[in-house]
């Protein structure tokens, strides 16, 4: 197999960096971008390097960050701006290779295999850094490897700690550069899997890499094999342009402003999610055959569940989606506080036609849904909604002011 050259390019403190570019007086100040500065319970979405020197961290509560750094400059997120700049940065990458895969709004994989730029990858990485900074004023860190997992690991674990922000993770150097890291640092390892690994006596990436594969397969099945491959730098997946354009599901998630403990309040938000998922599905002229609901607890009680249920017929109707999601919630919720919810309509297909079942009544109301969509397009997302959204539990009015969950 031909040796590959893959980059994972990460924009340092992307949201905060963009805000500093657009507001020069913030340049030398500790800046964070927070979900809602007016709510001290809001979460830090991005912290600039200066803020991080005070111990401020991404994903911590705003009140905690202000306690560490009283002079903190708090900026509302402007998601559409960040998305626009991310698109422009990816267009720059396309001048180097047509193999560009956005991984998130601030990260992209690019593959240089077979291009003139692969002859000296680190020199190419330096040129890319210089161009990104010159055009956008943003610092980039770049991980380089023969596979996507090596490039991602090189960036996250090593490049971000180097002054030049570049690191190449060679397969022949895994034992020295990669394996000593604790197991939680491996991509794909969450808190629960970390605990499972520890219970199996596996505490480092090297420990996993050198565990007999059959033992891992017996305990964790295909997931155990996949994590073993990652620990050994094995990842045959290609860098795939337009990979995120092929829809497999339509989803929406929400972090709540406080812990929700009452079922009635939680279901208000579930209904809002169902209506938003339905609206998005209709806008893309799709139908879905399966509902997935994810519920997460607080930091103190990180309980939760993620469950799916198949539908009798494909749908894009919010009422049908809500009923299925409510069934999942009532069946699996254990009564602990809820801080975040996610809902998706899966196994989507084009809404060109649908196969009707003679024994099941069609529950969708296409004419009504078209009318509702038209009203929202013309007068805004808050033009019409369920009365329950006007209660204290409702979030739809607040979300109508935002893009991607953050203020416009």
């Amino acid at each position: 197999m031909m040796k590959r050259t893959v980059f994972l390019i990460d924009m340092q403190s992307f949201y905060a960096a963009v805000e500093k570019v657009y507001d020069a007086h913030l340049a030398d100040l500790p800046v964070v971008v927070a979900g809602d500065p007016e709510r001290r319970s809001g979460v830090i979405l991005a912290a600039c390097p200066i803020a991080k020197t005070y111990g401020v961290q991404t994903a911590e509560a705003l009140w905690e960050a202000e306690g560490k750094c009283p002079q903190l400059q708090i900026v509302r997120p402007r998601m559409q701006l960040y998305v626009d700049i991310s698109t422009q940065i990816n267009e720059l990458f396309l001048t180097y290779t047509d193999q560009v895969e956005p991984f998130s709004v601030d990260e992209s994989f690019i593959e240089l295999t077979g291009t003139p730029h692969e002859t000296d990858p680190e020199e190419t990485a330096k040129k890319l850094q210089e161009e990104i900074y010159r055009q956008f004023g943003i610092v980039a860190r770049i991980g380089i490897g023969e596979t996507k997992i090596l490039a991602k690991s090189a960036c996250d674990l090593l490049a971000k700690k180097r002054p030049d922000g570049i690191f190449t993770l060679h397969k022949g150097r895994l034992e020295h550069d990669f394996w000593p890291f604790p197991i939680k640092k491996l991509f794909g390892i969450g808190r629960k899997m970390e605990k499972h690994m520890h219970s199996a006596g596996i505490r480092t990436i090297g420990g996993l890499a050198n565990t007999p594969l059959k033992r891992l397969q017996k305990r964790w099945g295909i997931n155990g094999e996949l994590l073993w491959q990652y620990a050994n730098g094995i990842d045959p997946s290609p860098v795939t342009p337009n990979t995120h354009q092929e829809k497999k599901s339509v989803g929406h998630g929400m972090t709540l402003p406080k812990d929700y403990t009452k079922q009635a309040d939680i279901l208000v938000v579930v209904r809002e999610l169902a209506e938003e998922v339905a609206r998005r599905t209709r806008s893309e002229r799709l139908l879905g055959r399966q509902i997935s609901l994810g519920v997460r607890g607080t930091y103190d009680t990180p309980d939760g569940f993620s469950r799916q249920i198949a539908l009798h017929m494909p749908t894009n109707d919010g009422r049908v989606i809500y009923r299925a999601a409510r069934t999942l919630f009532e069946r699996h919720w254990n009564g602990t506080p809820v801080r975040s919810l996610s809902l998706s309509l899966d196994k989507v297909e084009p809404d060109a036609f649908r196969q009707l079942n003679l024994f099941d009544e069609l529950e969708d109301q296409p004419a009504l849904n078209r009318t509702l969509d038209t009203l929202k397009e013309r007068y805004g997302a808050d033009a019409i909604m369920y009365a329950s959204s006007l209660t204290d539990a409702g979030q739809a009015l607040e979300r109508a002011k935002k893009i991607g969950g953050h203020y416009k």
Side-chain angles (χ1 to χ4, degrees):
M1 184 177 292
M2 180 175 62
K3 182 179 177 181
R4 300 168 62 195
T5 303
V6 180
F7 285 11
L8 188 282
I9 307 172
D10 170 82
M11 306 303 132
Q12 183 180 30
S13 307
F14 183 53
Y15 300 169
V18 171
E19 295 300 338
K20 288 195 172 196
V21 169
Y22 276 76
D23 189 347
H25 94 272
L26 297 174
D28 299 318
L29 299 175
V31 173
V32 296
V33 177
D36 189 349
E38 295 177 3
R39 293 178 176 174
R40 296 186 72 241
S41 60
V43 173
I44 302 294
L45 302 175
C48 77
I50 298 174
K52 289 178 180 178
T53 63
Y54 290 88
V56 176
Q57 300 177 16
T58 301
E60 75 176 331
L62 186 55
W63 66 268
E64 293 179 295
E66 288 181 302
K68 297 174 181 177
C69 181
Q71 65 270 44
L72 204 61
Q73 304 294 305
I74 305 165
V75 182
R76 285 184 182 275
R78 295 187 282 177
M79 294 307 297
Q80 190 59 59
L81 174 63
Y82 309 148
V83 170
D84 291 343
I85 293 176
S86 176
T87 300
Q88 293 171 34
I89 292 172
N90 279 288
E91 288 172 354
L92 168 63
F93 299 156
L94 287 169
T95 65
Y96 283 72
T97 172
D98 60 354
Q99 302 300 301
V100 177
E101 179 183 332
F103 188 65
S104 67
V105 72
D106 61 349
E107 291 180 294
S108 291
F109 287 106
I110 72 171
E111 179 147 5
L112 298 175
T113 309
T115 72
H117 303 290
E118 74 168 335
T119 55
D120 191 341
E122 295 207 2
E123 186 60 32
T124 298
K126 290 175 185 176
K127 286 179 62 178
L128 268 170
Q129 284 180 325
E130 291 168 1
E131 287 198 57
I132 293 167
Y133 189 78
R134 178 173 55 82
Q135 292 189 35
F136 304 100
I138 295 169
V139 174
R141 285 82 59 88
I142 302 177
I144 306 170
E146 297 177 34
T147 63
K148 289 167 73 174
I149 187 61
L150 288 179
K152 173 71 172 166
S153 301
C155 185
D156 290 351
L157 303 181
L158 298 153
K160 292 180 180 181
K161 298 179 180 179
R162 290 173 60 91
D164 64 357
I166 298 171
F167 192 88
T168 302
L169 185 54
H170 296 284
K171 277 194 173 181
R173 296 269 305 172
L174 296 185
E175 184 175 359
H176 181 270
D177 294 331
F178 188 39
W179 287 355
F181 282 98
I183 191 64
K184 67 179 180 180
K185 295 293 185 179
L186 181 66
F187 180 75
I189 298 285
R191 283 185 296 183
K192 287 186 178 179
M193 182 55 77
E194 180 190 9
K195 291 180 181 178
H196 290 315
M197 289 286 176
H198 285 178
S199 70
I202 300 171
R203 296 190 171 273
T204 65
I205 295 175
L208 175 61
N210 290 287
T211 299
L213 179 55
K214 288 185 177 180
R215 176 185 163 196
L216 299 172
Q217 290 172 323
K218 183 177 180 180
R219 182 155 185 173
W220 293 301
I222 189 67
N223 192 41
E225 180 177 354
L226 179 64
L227 293 173
W228 178 86
Q229 289 180 352
Y230 283 173
N232 282 285
I234 301 169
D235 180 11
S237 62
V239 172
T240 311
N242 305 321
T243 185
H244 300 293
Q245 294 182 10
E246 182 182 344
K247 281 282 183 183
K248 296 180 181 178
S249 66
V250 178
H252 191 44
M254 187 182 303
T255 298
L256 303 171
K258 61 181 180 180
D259 298 346
Y260 276 37
T261 57
K262 298 179 180 178
Q263 177 172 306
D265 290 346
I266 299 167
L267 289 176
V268 168
V269 180
V270 172
R271 185 188 289 277
E272 292 176 346
L273 292 174
E275 288 299 319
E276 178 60 17
V277 167
R279 185 193 65 78
R280 292 182 181 181
T281 307
R282 291 193 296 269
S283 72
E284 300 188 39
R285 306 182 75 86
L286 297 170
L287 299 164
R289 294 178 173 274
Q290 177 177 283
I291 303 297
S292 296
L293 179 68
V295 176
R296 289 290 175 267
T298 65
Y299 292 116
D300 296 329
T301 56
D303 294 357
F305 63 86
S306 179
R307 294 291 188 274
Q308 298 79 39
I309 188 171
L311 300 173
H312 294 298
M313 297 177 65
T315 188
N316 55 23
D317 189 291
R319 298 174 314 115
V320 179
I321 295 170
Y322 170 68
R323 283 200 294 271
R326 178 170 181 163
T327 296
L328 286 172
F329 181 81
E330 292 175 342
R331 186 178 295 167
H332 298 288
W333 184 50
N334 64 5
T336 56
V338 172
R339 194 58 182 265
S340 66
L341 295 158
S342 62
L343 178 64
S344 66
L345 182 60
D346 308 326
K347 297 184 179 180
V348 297
E349 59 193 50
D351 188 15
F353 64 91
R354 64 174 75 187
Q355 181 69 46
L356 298 180
N357 188 322
L358 294 176
F359 303 100
D360 289 323
E361 182 182 353
L362 180 63
E363 298 179 277
D364 292 11
Q365 296 186 357
L368 175 60
N369 289 331
R370 283 195 298 271
T371 302
L372 295 176
D373 292 343
T374 300
L375 287 170
K376 291 188 176 186
E377 288 172 11
R378 184 172 300 177
Y379 299 110
D382 56 350
I384 187 166
M385 61 183 63
Y386 282 94
S388 60
S389 291
L390 302 177
T391 65
D392 290 340
Q395 295 296 304
L397 276 174
E398 193 70 16
R399 300 287 291 189
K401 305 172 186 176
K402 304 177 181 181
I403 293 177
H406 306 296
Y407 286 97
K408 303 173 185 177

